[in-house]
Amino acid sequence: MRRSFSETLNRYWAWLLLLFLVAPALIAIPVSLTPKRFLSMPKGELSLRHFEKLFGSEEWMSSFWQSAVIGLTSAALATALGTLCAIGLWRVSSKWGEAVRAFLLLPLVVPPIISAMAFYRFMVPLGLIDTYAGLILAHTVLAAPLVLITVSASLAGFDPRLEQASRNLGASNWTTMRRVILPSIRPGVLAGAIFAFIASWDEIVVTLFLSKFNVYTLPRRMWNGIRENTDPTVAAAAVVLIAITIIFFIIQALNARRSRNSGET
Amino acid sequence: MNGSPLRRIGTGWLLVLPFLALVVALFLGPIVNILWLSVTDPEPGLGNYAALVTSDNLVGILWTTIRICVITTAFSVIFGYSIAYAMVHVAQGSRNQMLSLLLVSFWISVLVRTFSWLMLLGRKGLVNETLVNIGIIAEPIEFMRNELGVLIGMVHYMIPYAVLPLLAVMQNIDGRVLSASRSLGATGQQTFWRVYLPLTRPGLVAASLLVFILSLGFYVTPAILGGGKVLMVAEYISVQILVTLRWGTAAMLAALMLFGVLALLFLMSRFMKLSTIFGGAKA
């Protein structure tokens, strides 16, 4: 069928829209290279001073490590809990199981501001505000549903008879889990872990409520920098964040491609 | 009894238990507590809810929120439709490139994206400087600290969420139906408006509801691009808690928002399996 004029037009329009989605974030790159002390587009000369300031700043570096520690710990916990839960629900596979699954996705659909106030109110009397434990617990609850989703998607393509076969051949529950189930759902687990890490690494709304002085994650410091709206160091931090995001995006794209290929053979 | 179905289900629940317990204790409990606060703080009764009728301030904030969410939804879904339509109809190679662009924008932190708009749209931002320099406008346009800025930031954030459900529906449309329409004499335009568009209605409804739900509770972009001038419910809640310490009002608004979101999700589940949307997200 010949392509109509309006369809061609729409195709260009769609490309334009997609560029509109990605391009604005790139403005951080030239702004971070400005030689001036305030947020501005560089005119002529470029300088790396804001990157030097970023990597030389004790505050920014400590935020960086705090975000990494909280992100990795939350992702590890969320991956363990989410994977076990997905396998459990897959085994149960009943109406009750599906109701529980819907309930467990709740942290994903409740607006972050409501989760934030709920966590805040809950953690104040327990002394968990402004601690690693508080943020890690909150981020784990918010991130584990993502793992539940990705692992469940992997399990949907896994033949339950394989588990049966392993059991009939005398393997224990634990061995079956480790040697049969886990290897075949690995792409889902890895994808879940990546999403969980990103969810914690980028999380700001709950963090705004749960952190004060001791715990000050990267998004928290960005938020302050953006509110003050003068220091180009924030632009340099934004560039670093974009770079990290793209690295994780590529890892996940490779992971997805590998799982697709292994699914075909 | 090794491997009996009953035992298999039993161990299944055992695996579900840790996460279930965590969500009940750390999430459900505190949220129920918030709902409870809305009818007990500062005093038992429906006083907090009565303010919805009596306080012009609150009504204004709710109205602003709903208006911004409706406009955001309309633009995001129209633009999202255009993208999804093009993605389904281009060659595989272009489709992968388009999908990559879509997902990269999906992955970039909301803070980074909001910050970018701040630099682009400010009085001395790139957009205003360029427009003034080439002489299209004499005075910088005020993008920030008003609804225009908030809308630009929100539509930009929501478009990918609108595309995913639409894409899921469009990919499953049987091309032969369209060929049939053409061979029965309909023009391209007629085929689109009378056949294609109605077939994508579940996707349109799901995309609209999803974007609307996410917009309702959106905090970061309105707070930064609105600059305190455009107050939406989420930001108002945070002010009540962190500044004026009026938990009752905050809890009442949270309860309204929560029930609104759950009702819309229920509606959405009637049009589309939720797992197609959430499963497709970020994958």
Side-chain angles (χ1 to χ4, degrees):
Chain A
M1 195 169 18
R2 209 173 55 84
R3 223 188 303 141
S4 72
F5 175 68
S6 48
E7 206 156 306
T8 315
L9 205 65
N10 180 62
R11 198 160 296 179
Y12 287 116
W13 175 234
W15 275 110
L16 216 62
L17 282 170
L18 285 166
L19 288 179
F20 162 74
L21 286 183
V22 178
L26 303 180
I27 179 93
I29 298 173
V31 171
S32 70
L33 294 173
T34 184
K36 306 247 174 58
R37 283 172 184 282
F38 51 90
L39 280 178
S40 54
M41 288 295 282
K43 299 201 170 85
E45 59 174 324
L46 302 175
S47 122
L48 285 173
R49 58 184 282 186
H50 300 298
F51 284 95
E52 281 166 22
K53 205 175 147 203
L54 176 72
F55 290 111
S57 151
E58 215 168 280
E59 289 180 333
W60 279 101
M61 283 301 103
S62 111
S63 290
F64 189 87
W65 289 118
Q66 289 188 348
S67 275
V69 168
I70 292 172
L72 289 173
T73 319
S74 310
L77 285 172
T79 306
L81 290 167
T83 304
L84 289 180
C85 181
I87 295 173
L89 287 173
W90 170 75
R91 283 189 162 187
V92 171
S93 66
S94 69
K95 214 169 65 187
W96 280 101
E98 289 318 298
V100 168
R101 186 196 302 277
F103 168 72
L104 289 175
L105 294 182
L106 218 51
L108 223 51
V109 298
V110 170
I113 184 76
I114 299 179
S115 311
M117 68 189 286
F119 283 131
Y120 181 71
R121 182 91 187 174
F122 174 70
M123 288 184 179
V124 167
L126 298 176
L128 285 172
I129 298 292
D130 210 21
T131 64
Y132 280 93
L135 267 182
I136 289 171
L137 281 175
H139 284 180
T140 303
V141 170
L142 295 177
L146 294 168
V147 182
L148 178 58
I149 289 174
T150 57
V151 176
S152 297
S154 275
L155 279 168
F158 177 67
D159 188 345
R161 283 172 304 184
L162 286 176
E163 189 196 11
Q164 212 58 48
S166 157
R167 301 292 298 277
N168 290 344
L169 291 169
S172 71
N173 235 328
W174 168 239
T175 314
T176 306
M177 173 90 96
R178 203 163 44 90
R179 304 281 293 270
V180 180
I181 300 180
L182 280 181
S184 39
I185 59 172
R186 199 181 297 145
V189 176
L190 182 59
I194 293 174
F195 294 151
F197 177 78
I198 295 276
S200 163
W201 173 262
D202 276 348
E203 209 290 323
I204 177 64
V205 181
V206 170
T207 309
L208 274 180
F209 279 72
L210 299 188
S211 68
K212 273 203 193 89
F213 317 103
N214 294 324
V215 185
Y216 223 77
T217 63
L218 208 51
R220 184 77 180 82
R221 201 168 291 286
M222 284 275 298
W223 172 270
N224 269 24
I226 292 174
R227 289 240 130 167
E228 285 157 16
N229 190 16
T230 46
D231 187 0
T233 315
V234 181
V239 172
V240 173
L241 278 182
I242 294 174
I244 292 174
T245 308
I246 289 177
I247 291 172
F248 274 101
F249 176 79
I250 292 170
I251 295 177
Q252 168 54 18
L254 293 176
N255 173 39
R257 177 182 295 173
R258 218 177 41 203
S259 77
R260 247 201 320 277
N261 289 346
S262 69
E264 278 161 11
T265 49
Chain B
M1 285 298 286
N2 200 14
S4 81
L6 209 61
R7 194 169 147 195
R8 188 166 180 269
I9 290 174
T11 52
W13 281 115
L14 211 63
L15 295 174
V16 175
L17 198 63
F19 184 42
L20 184 60
L22 194 74
V23 172
V24 169
L26 250 68
F27 196 76
L28 183 65
I31 286 204
V32 170
N33 180 31
I34 296 289
L35 299 179
W36 177 244
L37 271 182
S38 76
V39 289
T40 54
D41 184 279
E43 59 204 30
L46 292 174
N48 291 319
Y49 290 88
L52 280 178
V53 191
T54 54
S55 158
D56 289 344
N57 190 14
L58 271 181
V59 174
I61 286 163
L62 287 177
W63 173 232
T64 308
T65 308
I66 290 174
R67 185 178 59 236
I68 290 180
C69 290
V70 168
I71 301 174
T72 302
T73 305
F75 278 102
S76 308
V77 172
I78 292 170
F79 292 160
Y81 199 93
S82 188
I83 294 175
Y85 186 87
M87 282 177 74
V88 178
H89 291 91
V90 293
Q92 182 71 39
S94 310
R95 184 181 313 151
N96 288 343
Q97 287 168 8
M98 292 175 115
L99 192 63
S100 297
L101 281 177
L102 191 76
L103 292 179
V104 164
S105 88
F106 210 51
W107 277 59
I108 293 175
S109 145
V110 62
L111 273 177
V112 170
R113 288 159 72 177
T114 310
F115 176 62
S116 311
W117 284 119
L118 210 63
M119 290 183 287
L120 284 168
L121 298 179
R123 270 189 79 82
K124 293 191 170 170
L126 191 64
V127 172
N128 269 325
E129 286 215 329
T130 314
L131 289 179
V132 170
N133 283 345
I134 53 177
I136 293 181
I137 52 171
E139 283 291 301
I141 304 173
E142 293 293 340
F143 287 112
M144 312 284 305
R145 296 170 177 276
N146 59 28
E147 283 188 20
L148 184 59
V150 173
L151 283 171
I152 294 175
M154 283 181 71
V155 170
H156 183 248
Y157 183 82
M158 295 298 168
I159 287 176
Y161 289 97
V163 173
L164 293 173
L166 285 167
L167 205 56
V169 167
M170 286 182 188
Q171 276 169 339
N172 287 326
I173 288 181
D174 189 341
R176 286 172 301 181
V177 178
L178 306 176
S179 308
S181 160
R182 295 298 293 267
S183 65
L184 289 169
T187 65
Q189 295 283 335
Q190 281 172 325
T191 304
F192 178 79
W193 291 105
R194 309 264 301 265
V195 180
Y196 196 82
L197 195 64
L199 282 174
T200 54
R201 193 181 303 147
L204 276 170
V205 175
S208 305
L209 288 170
L210 181 65
V211 171
F212 191 81
I213 289 170
L214 291 171
S215 304
L216 265 186
F218 204 26
Y219 177 78
V220 175
T221 302
I224 292 176
L225 295 180
K229 292 277 166 43
V230 185
L231 209 51
M232 287 175 63
V233 173
E235 194 183 0
Y236 190 71
I237 289 177
S238 85
V239 172
Q240 298 307 306
I241 295 168
L242 298 176
V243 185
T244 54
L245 304 177
R246 279 163 51 198
W247 274 89
T249 310
M252 180 273 290
L253 289 171
L256 276 188
M257 193 192 270
L258 188 61
F259 287 124
V261 165
L262 291 180
L264 291 172
L265 269 176
F266 176 73
L267 201 64
M268 197 162 110
S269 70
R270 315 277 311 248
F271 282 91
M272 200 173 199
K273 244 183 104 203
L274 291 182
S275 61
T276 16
I277 298 162
F278 290 118
K282 293 207 171 187

